[in-house]
Amino acid sequence: MRVTKSLALASAGLLLATSLAMAQSTEIRVGAPLEPPALDPTAGAAEAIDVVVYQNVFEGLTRIDQNGAVQSGLASEWTISEDGLTYDFKLHDGVTFHDGTSFDAEDVKFTFDRILAENSVNAQKALYEAIESVTVVDPLTVEIKLSRPDGLFLFNIGRGDAVIVAPESAENNATQPIGTGPFAFVQWDRGSRVILEQYGPYWGEKPALTKATYVFISDMATMTNALLAGDVDGTYNFSAEALPVFENNPQFKVLVGTTEGETILSTNNAKEPFNKLEVRQAMAHAINRQEIIDGATYGYGVPIGSHFAPHNPYYIDLTNTYPFDLDKAKELLAQAGYPDGFSATLKLPPVNYATVSGQIIASDFAKIGIKLELINMEWAQWLEDVFANKDFDLTIISHVEPFDIGIYANPDYYFGYNNPEFQALNETLNATTDEAKRKELAQEMQTIIAKDAVNGYLFELAQTGVWNAKLDGMWQNAPVEGVVLRDVHWVE
Amino acid sequence: MTLYILRRLAGFLVTLLIAAAVIFLLLDLLPGDPARFILGINATPESVAALRLQMGLDDPAILRFGNWLLGMFRGDFGMSQTQKLPVADLIAARMAVTLPLTLFAMVVSIVIGLPLGILAAMHRGKPLDTILMVIAQAGVAVPNFWFGMLLTLLFAVILRWLPTGGFTPWHENPIAAFRGLLLPGLALALPQAAILARVMRTALVDVSTQDFIRTARAKGMTFGQAMWRHGVRNAFLPVLTILGLQFAFLIAGTIIVENVFFLPGLGRLIATAVTERDLVLVRSATIILVLAVSATMLIVDIAYGFVDPRLRERGA
Amino acid sequence: MRTAWMRHPGLMLGLAASFAFALLGLLSLVWTPYPIGDISIARRFAVPSPDHWLGTDQLGRDMLSLIMSGTLTSFTVGATAIIIGAGIGVPLGLAAAIYGGPVEWLVLRFSDLAFAFPSIIIAILIATLMGPGAANAVIAIGIFNIPVFAQVARGGALTISTLDYVAAARLAGLSRPAIALRHLLPNIASLIIVQATIQLSVGILAEAGFSYIGLGTQPPETSLGLMLRDAQNLFLIHPWLSIAPGLAIAVIVIALNIAGDGLRDILDPRLRRQEVGRVAG
């Protein structure tokens, strides 16, 4: 009996699927290369978490739009005190969580207290440590006091790490995420897919899509096949090398946008011989940026000369600080006391841009006598060796945090750069709210680290999405991690 | 016979125990902090410490080993550290893919491999034999992931008969679920079918030259009758060994094919769990695989004991 | 003996092709048309030409040079895994055969254990422990080879040890290890050589699999499996980059198999065990 029933259901399902394909579809299947380990964006750093839930299932007080600007989220409006220390947020009325409980100021307080708690497991706790107190003024008003002004505060509370969660459900968000967003979590077939469905009582404007399925396909060749066969409707970041398959195909559109990922040849500034400025300058002269961009990103990367995103209004072009010049590089090496070069290791995380850039850099460095041993490692080990224990000479990594030049002010950070002048500038920048002033400071900081050749600055990663040509409303850029489905819809 | 089975069973348990110790030790040596992996590069040291405490990573190793063994005896395989779900549930869900896939691949390889092997043996030394064995050589030589890619291109991208991969749960749509297993099953089965055909052929050729076949023929049976009555049973032994090994290999060795077809199988579960340093999940899933493989070999051995009593004497 | 060799054209062909590839690989130690680390994005995806007989890959490296060097890696991995497998497996198998009793029981359990550990999971764990690299593939395949060779040695020795001359050697007062060394080992050498040929082809295939999922050989070194992995994304655009290493793998494996089959026919027509070691390929 049960078998017959499920067979009947199955054939009904098939019929339904075909009839839907005929009519205007309101469903989407998104191919994602990585499966999230869990679905709670406030308790893990994995990009894959935000890809599924950010702004779809969970929302924050503010939200980031696809150009990186701060928009209102669960807070409809806010006021900031003169000294920049007190924020008063007015919350939207009539907002409910997907389990039916209502959203109010208590949930906001709970969320931030949870981030800042002693036993917090938030991956970005440091971003919120300026928060001194969160006070519930009334059910729809929250006051947040900071201990120091923070120019990025409104941006940071719009990130996936600070989405509002409810005390009733927060504990289970890893497996059963409950948020306030336009899509509610339905089902997670591990190893395979996550299904979201439109949340009927959503407080804001309803999205066009009624159902979204994230399909996890780690093998890029398989992803190509799945796109071609129509088994997925698109993917937000496809590997650049295979883009030509879709570029001239009218059934697909390729969206090329920006990310916040500065890809750099991170250098252990605290270690011989990299503590010598001339050595770092020599390496900078030996980096053939265009060759690396062509080889590792098939021309989609954007050259950078410092640790700053080219699409940011504060950006200045410093790519010519140390142009590619092997003779000059050799000269500098000799000045530094290494006329015959030296040997060093280059530890590479398991991402394609790093393995390919590493091979190209090793090939060029060999020409000035720097013999690099390439060591490929797994993420977990890279994090421990390079990042936590600073046991490395060189590595290649993309720093995907927006506006993260401040990491150079931390002498304990893994590249071991200690420049009091830069640190002072960073202090001033953090306390400055005047736009023109901030820009001037940020540019001075960019210039300092470029001239010091702290790291080898390679390129800004591009976001290269491939979508069905009939889909519209996808984010072209990736100012924060996430695949926001709010505006995605099918067109004829 | 009972004694033989008992001794073999004791060996099986000892194997498992040693395996558990080896797995635990190996995993404990792995570099990389699971908590740091979850929280990424911007986490504060306090957050990492808090998570380590929550995951029970700071307990002494011997305590964790003991707890793990005790838990397994009670049927409790622990909680996955990253997915926050019982490991037993996660494994069961993956088994719903891996087991049918393995069985399907075995059936296909038997259905293709055995008849071709018999055919080749019956035409020993003739052109058909040569042709079949050349095909078998090629079947063994082509990497299965490569073959899988070609199958996808043909049947999913060009012809669009079957999905490129993925898996629909059985309870949702059994037809779709089966369709999802067709291509990966074929990719897995063909190299195994080639091996099986070779084994079958060799075994039959060996048997056909033996005295009892000649005797049977002398008694007036045709060669086919003689082979059917007396040969197949004897030729079955080597085939049985290979089948047992194939089952063992397929159930664990499908990671590559699972990757190509993005199937949520057991192999991929373990591979991901290692990357994410979900040690509880890795060790429990691995020991279950070892258990499955050892149990298969145990069954094959016992079956052998029934078929050929001489084998009971040595080394049991 | 000579006529036996002549009667197996397949064997000659298989051996010749295997040696040709092995020599090609060895040649890469001293000479390749271009250095394999010679990257030039400007000349990538070149079609076969007099300059680059097999064209260039996605980094502008010479494909012929890569295939030569990759063949060497594949052979080296397979051969080293055999040395591990035979080096540990054969003594274990011999010990099991001549001592019997608890020794044999232990060897068989150890053999079970090595078989029961899926080699791919061993490779994953070793890769995690020591970082990915060709050495992992060697160890994982080597561990898989141990029980294969142990069984071959034990099986072969059991057949021989009942023979008269072994009994005679025993009566003459030779110790058991001495019998194993002087009488059993030379007599099962042919079995081991045949099995080694087969395990070499299995090892080369397995190396390709490990490299394909990123556990095996790492750049800037190369192997045939790694070349397949690098090219898989480009299959629809530049199919040749996959076909060349794929064909090389297939031809080498077929050549080794034919050679193994032929050797078996000459040396010991009754040997069947070799298929056991083939399943994991």
Side-chain angles (χ1 to χ4, degrees):
Chain A
M1 193 54 217
R2 250 176 102 176
V3 177
T4 358
K5 197 176 155 199
S6 59
L7 275 176
L9 274 176
S11 43
L14 281 177
L15 279 178
L16 198 65
T18 30
S19 58
L20 270 176
M22 300 290 168
Q24 180 79 302
S25 179
T26 56
E27 302 187 358
I28 189 173
R29 290 155 305 166
V30 180
L34 288 174
E35 176 169 18
L39 289 175
D40 183 353
T42 66
E47 180 196 10
I49 303 175
D50 283 323
V51 164
V52 176
V53 299
Y54 178 65
Q55 286 195 36
N56 298 329
V57 175
F58 290 107
E59 298 171 303
L61 288 180
T62 60
R63 63 183 174 88
I64 314 302
D65 69 14
Q66 73 148 315
N67 297 314
V70 175
Q71 306 289 347
S72 72
L74 286 171
S76 53
E77 54 189 314
W78 52 84
T79 54
I80 310 171
S81 65
E82 278 291 307
D83 57 5
L85 291 177
T86 310
Y87 288 71
D88 275 302
F89 293 95
K90 270 267 165 250
L91 306 181
H92 273 289
D93 199 0
V95 177
T96 54
F97 284 95
H98 301 145
D99 60 357
T101 58
S102 61
F103 155 84
D104 60 26
E106 290 294 342
D107 297 310
V108 178
K109 180 170 170 53
F110 170 78
T111 297
F112 286 101
D113 286 350
R114 182 164 165 265
I115 292 174
L116 297 166
E118 191 77 29
N119 61 354
S120 156
V121 294
N122 194 289
Q124 304 285 353
K125 188 178 177 184
L127 291 180
Y128 308 100
E129 276 177 340
I131 297 177
E132 202 173 68
S133 67
V134 181
T135 320
V136 175
V137 179
D138 64 57
L140 293 179
T141 315
V142 154
E143 181 195 83
I144 299 183
K145 272 203 154 68
L146 304 185
S147 55
R148 53 176 162 82
D150 181 354
L152 290 172
F153 180 65
L154 286 172
F155 185 93
N156 287 337
I157 60 171
R159 299 168 50 115
D161 306 278
V163 294
I164 305 301
V165 297
E168 297 88 349
S169 50
E171 201 55 41
N172 297 323
N173 276 345
T175 52
Q176 191 73 33
I178 303 275
T180 60
F183 293 93
F185 168 82
V186 177
Q187 175 184 343
W188 180 3
D189 297 327
R190 285 170 197 266
S192 169
R193 58 182 187 172
V194 168
I195 300 174
L196 309 180
E197 256 166 27
Q198 197 189 82
Y199 176 56
Y202 181 58
W203 60 273
E205 196 184 324
K206 286 232 160 64
L209 296 173
T210 54
K211 183 179 173 189
T213 308
Y214 285 86
V215 185
F216 306 115
I217 306 177
S218 55
D219 186 321
M220 275 294 149
T222 309
M223 183 81 89
T224 310
N225 291 339
L227 283 163
L228 286 175
D231 286 346
V232 294
D233 300 314
T235 183
Y236 57 97
N237 205 3
F238 190 71
S239 68
E241 55 185 342
L243 278 179
V245 176
F246 301 100
E247 270 165 344
N248 299 314
N249 187 331
Q251 288 175 306
F252 295 94
K253 60 168 91 170
V254 174
L255 296 183
V256 181
T258 58
T259 73
E260 299 296 323
E262 290 85 33
T263 310
I264 59 176
L265 175 69
S266 291
T267 309
N268 193 342
N269 282 249
K271 197 174 166 187
E272 280 284 341
F274 309 106
N275 54 357
K276 289 204 170 70
L277 177 63
E278 288 92 345
V279 170
R280 298 198 304 268
Q281 287 172 326
M283 295 197 303
H285 275 302
I287 289 174
N288 188 344
R289 208 175 269 123
Q290 199 52 48
E291 176 110 335
I292 294 168
I293 289 173
D294 287 342
T297 75
Y298 284 71
Y300 287 100
V302 181
I304 54 170
S306 184
H307 196 103
F308 221 76
H311 54 268
N312 191 298
Y314 297 172
Y315 172 82
I316 47 169
D317 185 355
L318 292 159
T319 48
N320 266 325
T321 314
Y322 299 109
F324 180 59
D325 183 346
L326 292 177
D327 293 331
K328 185 91 194 155
K330 266 188 211 147
E331 212 173 281
L332 281 161
L333 266 189
Q335 277 175 30
Y338 297 95
D340 303 320
F342 55 86
S343 296
T345 58
L346 173 54
K347 292 191 170 171
L348 299 169
V351 279
N352 191 50
Y353 67 74
T355 26
V356 177
S357 304
Q359 282 174 267
I360 298 173
I361 287 175
S363 166
D364 281 333
F365 276 21
K367 293 172 193 158
I368 58 166
I370 302 178
K371 288 170 282 300
L372 292 186
E373 185 198 346
L374 304 187
I375 303 174
N376 297 279
M377 34 184 44
E378 270 193 303
W379 271 122
Q381 194 171 3
W382 185 91
L383 283 169
E384 177 162 308
D385 270 23
V386 177
F387 194 78
N389 297 338
K390 300 164 200 162
D391 174 20
F392 77 108
D393 294 337
L394 298 166
T395 184
I396 293 174
I397 182 74
S398 214
H399 280 260
V400 296
E401 291 302 316
F403 209 97
D404 57 354
I405 195 169
I407 53 181
Y408 288 77
N410 176 2
D412 293 328
Y413 207 63
Y414 76 103
F415 20 80
Y417 175 63
N418 191 352
N419 180 346
E421 184 197 353
F422 185 90
Q423 288 154 18
L425 279 172
N426 190 51
E427 286 281 305
T428 325
L429 176 74
N430 277 340
T432 308
T433 42
D434 179 69
E435 272 298 304
K437 252 283 165 37
R438 279 179 68 83
K439 181 172 181 174
E440 197 180 303
L441 285 163
Q443 296 196 334
E444 201 178 336
M445 288 163 74
Q446 292 173 52
T447 316
I448 290 178
I449 55 170
K451 289 221 163 104
D452 273 354
V454 181
N455 296 314
Y457 299 102
L458 309 177
F459 56 86
E460 192 80 6
L461 277 180
Q463 168 108 329
T464 44
V466 173
W467 300 91
N468 187 308
K470 289 183 183 153
L471 272 173
D472 233 336
M474 293 76 64
W475 278 19
Q476 187 151 1
N477 303 320
V480 284
E481 293 161 346
V483 173
V484 178
L485 300 171
R486 184 184 297 274
D487 298 324
V488 178
H489 58 277
W490 290 93
V491 290
E492 265 320 304
Chain B
M1 191 66 202
T2 321
L3 190 66
Y4 169 73
I5 293 179
L6 278 179
R7 277 197 304 198
R8 205 49 201 78
L9 214 56
F12 169 71
L13 288 177
V14 171
T15 308
L16 279 187
L17 199 66
I18 301 174
V22 171
I23 294 168
F24 188 88
L25 259 176
L26 263 179
L27 289 181
D28 234 46
L29 291 175
L30 292 190
D33 181 349
R36 168 64 72 179
F37 183 83
I38 292 173
L39 295 179
I41 66 173
N42 289 315
T44 60
E46 301 85 69
S47 305
V48 175
L51 189 59
R52 281 188 66 85
L53 194 69
Q54 193 187 313
M55 292 166 78
L57 289 170
D58 294 329
D59 295 342
I62 189 77
L63 189 69
R64 283 179 290 129
F65 182 58
N67 283 341
W68 178 48
L69 282 187
L70 278 178
M72 283 199 297
F73 274 116
R74 290 195 309 261
D76 172 14
F77 289 91
M79 286 285 273
S80 153
Q81 290 163 324
T82 53
Q83 307 197 24
K84 321 261 167 147
L85 285 176
V87 169
D89 293 1
L90 289 171
I91 295 175
R94 299 302 176 103
M95 273 297 182
V97 179
T98 297
L99 214 54
L101 179 62
T102 304
L103 292 177
F104 174 64
M106 292 216 28
V107 169
V108 174
S109 86
I110 291 171
V111 166
I112 299 177
L114 291 191
L116 289 185
I118 295 172
L119 205 63
M122 286 166 70
H123 294 83
R124 191 187 177 195
K126 303 209 182 97
L128 183 63
D129 180 25
T130 315
I131 293 169
L132 285 176
M133 285 303 109
V134 167
I135 295 174
Q137 287 285 12
V140 178
V142 175
N144 56 9
F145 52 88
W146 180 234
F147 185 58
M149 277 276 293
L150 295 181
L151 283 179
T152 318
L153 270 181
L154 180 61
F155 290 106
V157 177
I158 298 173
L159 295 172
R160 296 208 174 189
W161 290 350
L162 292 165
T164 46
F167 182 73
T168 318
W170 293 99
H171 59 85
E172 205 167 293
N173 186 342
I175 299 169
F178 182 69
R179 279 162 50 89
L181 295 184
L182 270 177
L183 289 183
L186 273 184
L188 284 171
L190 286 197
Q192 304 300 330
I195 297 174
L196 215 51
R198 287 166 55 88
V199 175
M200 190 71 216
R201 174 186 175 275
T202 316
L204 283 175
V205 167
D206 277 2
V207 166
S208 67
T209 58
Q210 305 238 328
D211 293 343
F212 56 84
I213 296 288
R214 264 179 247 141
T215 318
R217 292 205 66 185
K219 282 197 283 184
M221 284 190 207
T222 65
F223 181 69
Q225 281 170 331
M227 283 299 285
W228 188 246
R229 291 277 286 277
H230 304 282
V232 172
R233 181 186 146 118
N234 283 282
F236 187 63
L237 272 181
V239 174
L240 188 69
T241 311
I242 293 296
L243 283 178
L245 281 174
Q246 287 188 338
F247 181 80
F249 162 71
L250 286 173
I251 204 154
T254 55
I255 297 179
I256 298 173
V257 166
E258 281 170 20
N259 240 0
V260 172
F261 292 96
F262 52 107
L263 287 173
L266 196 56
R268 220 151 61 99
L269 178 73
I270 297 178
T272 321
V274 173
T275 319
E276 291 171 352
R277 293 292 184 280
D278 193 339
L279 303 183
V280 176
L281 179 52
V282 178
R283 66 189 183 209
S284 291
T286 311
I287 197 78
I288 284 179
L289 272 182
V290 172
L291 177 89
V293 175
S294 313
T296 315
M297 292 196 296
L298 179 71
I299 293 167
V300 171
D301 272 5
I302 293 176
Y304 253 86
F306 275 112
V307 178
D308 189 347
R310 281 170 302 167
L311 287 168
R312 281 180 228 156
E313 286 156 26
R314 277 200 77 100
Chain C
M1 193 65 193
R2 174 163 297 182
T3 47
W5 287 82
M6 298 305 283
R7 264 190 274 122
H8 285 82
L11 171 64
M12 301 306 293
L13 199 70
L15 278 180
S18 306
F19 276 117
F21 269 100
L23 282 179
L24 196 66
L26 283 175
L27 178 62
S28 78
L29 280 177
V30 289
W31 179 82
T32 49
Y34 295 81
I36 64 158
D38 187 7
I39 289 170
S40 167
I41 302 301
R43 61 156 196 251
R44 69 175 158 198
F45 302 130
V47 292
S49 67
D51 279 349
H52 299 279
W53 287 4
L54 297 180
T56 60
D57 78 341
Q58 69 281 0
L59 294 176
R61 292 173 297 182
D62 180 56
M63 282 289 280
L64 178 61
S65 310
L66 288 173
I67 286 196
M68 287 170 67
S69 177
T71 303
L72 179 68
T73 313
S74 297
F75 266 98
T76 313
V77 168
T80 321
I82 287 171
I83 293 171
I84 294 177
I88 300 175
V90 171
L92 284 182
L94 285 177
I98 54 172
Y99 287 106
V103 175
E104 186 167 38
W105 189 86
L106 264 178
V107 168
L108 288 178
R109 294 297 77 75
F110 175 79
S111 167
D112 280 355
L113 188 68
F115 254 140
F117 259 105
S119 54
I120 189 116
I121 288 173
I122 294 182
I124 292 175
L125 290 180
I126 298 172
T128 320
L129 206 59
M130 321 194 321
N136 301 316
V138 167
I139 296 175
I141 303 167
I143 291 179
F144 172 79
N145 280 345
I146 294 174
V148 174
F149 281 102
Q151 287 192 8
V152 169
R154 173 172 169 264
L158 281 181
T159 336
I160 298 164
S161 58
T162 54
L163 295 177
D164 291 345
Y165 68 91
V166 175
R170 243 201 177 132
L171 284 175
L174 276 180
S175 69
R176 294 198 216 203
I179 296 175
L181 209 62
R182 285 205 214 147
H183 296 287
L184 299 186
L185 194 58
N187 279 297
I188 59 166
S190 63
L191 303 188
I192 292 166
I193 290 170
V194 171
Q195 192 66 45
T197 320
I198 300 301
Q199 291 318 111
L200 186 57
S201 79
V202 171
I204 286 171
L205 267 183
E207 193 281 333
F210 290 147
S211 292
Y212 188 78
I213 52 174
L215 297 173
T217 311
Q218 298 291 320
E221 265 91 66
T222 192
S223 79
L224 297 173
L226 185 63
M227 291 178 72
L228 264 187
R229 169 192 164 88
D230 283 346
Q232 60 161 342
N233 257 350
L234 297 160
F235 185 76
L236 294 171
I237 315 166
H238 303 285
W240 172 242
L241 297 187
S242 311
I243 292 171
L247 268 184
I249 293 176
V251 172
I252 293 173
V253 171
I254 290 178
L256 284 170
N257 279 340
I258 294 179
D261 284 358
L263 281 176
R264 177 200 57 190
D265 287 351
I266 290 179
L267 298 172
D268 182 0
R270 308 205 65 79
L271 178 73
R272 281 183 248 116
R273 187 80 69 180
Q274 49 169 306
E275 302 288 344
V276 169
R278 182 131 53 190
V279 172

